[in-house]
Every structure is written in C-alpha cells, then in structure tokens.
Amino acid sequence: MAGYGLNNEHHLSVVLQEKLISEGYRIEVVNGSVSGSTSSGGLNRVKWTLEEPNINLLILGLGANDMLRGIDPKETKNNLDNIIQIAQAKNIKIILAGMLA
C-alpha cells in the first residue's frame, strides 16, 4: 500500500517491518506499491517484481483505485486472480488484503 500523503515512517511496509522485528523476526518488508495504481498496473508489474530472490510472501492490496475509477469489478477480479496465479507458480504465499467500498 503506497501510503499516499503519509510520511515514510507511517507507510504500512515500514510499520509492519518495525513491528515484526520488535517481535524477534528477521525480516525485510519491501514496498512494491505505486500510488494511484490499479489492479491492471499491478498485473503489469508483478512478473518482474517477483523475480527478486527470497520473496516468501506477497501482501496483495489492489482494487481501491479500480473502484475510484469505475473499473468493472469483473476486470479487477480477473487481474487479482492472474496476480495470485503468478505468485502461486513461484510458491510465494499470498495475503489478499480487502477493503470496503
């Protein structure tokens, strides 16, 4: 989640990493989000983004901007399904983060 308008220390990736490290996990959280991105933008980026080594988990939080732009929910679902399939093919676990419209 890009965190549009937030100071860096309040971005989800930073907060999540700090919390997990404080609980004893050796982890790096990488923010792969792009502010204003839609699910189709995420689908366009996912293959090369997931080429990075040692990715164990993908938190997928796309779709809010699709809703704001009036994109057909079927298209959003299709894009998310494709992203999930790409991650699964690489044995990357996925958390699908939702939102309420």
Side-chain angles (χ1 to χ4, degrees):
M1 316 245 182
Y4 178 75
L6 292 177
N7 292 330
N8 188 52
E9 68 267 12
H10 297 292
H11 284 214
L12 176 62
S13 57
V14 174
V15 173
L16 182 58
Q17 179 169 312
E18 288 174 356
K19 177 68 173 165
L20 291 170
I21 289 173
S22 75
E23 293 182 6
Y25 293 93
R26 292 183 61 217
I27 190 167
E28 178 184 5
V29 177
V30 177
N31 185 354
S33 63
V34 174
S35 185
S37 185
T38 61
S39 62
S40 65
L43 179 57
N44 289 333
R45 291 190 311 275
V46 73
K47 285 184 182 176
W48 60 265
T49 301
L50 296 182
E51 289 298 321
E52 293 291 322
N54 302 317
I55 296 175
N56 300 302
L57 175 68
L58 169 66
I59 301 174
L60 180 55
L62 288 168
N65 288 316
D66 292 44
M67 180 201 62
L68 291 173
R69 294 178 187 188
I71 294 171
D72 186 333
K74 292 176 188 172
E75 181 179 340
T76 301
K77 181 184 182 306
N78 186 52
N79 291 333
L80 295 174
D81 285 343
N82 285 322
I83 293 168
I84 289 167
Q85 290 172 13
I86 291 165
Q88 287 176 330
K90 296 178 174 292
N91 295 315
I92 297 171
K93 294 179 181 164
I94 303 149
I95 294 174
L96 180 60
M99 59 153 288
L100 296 175

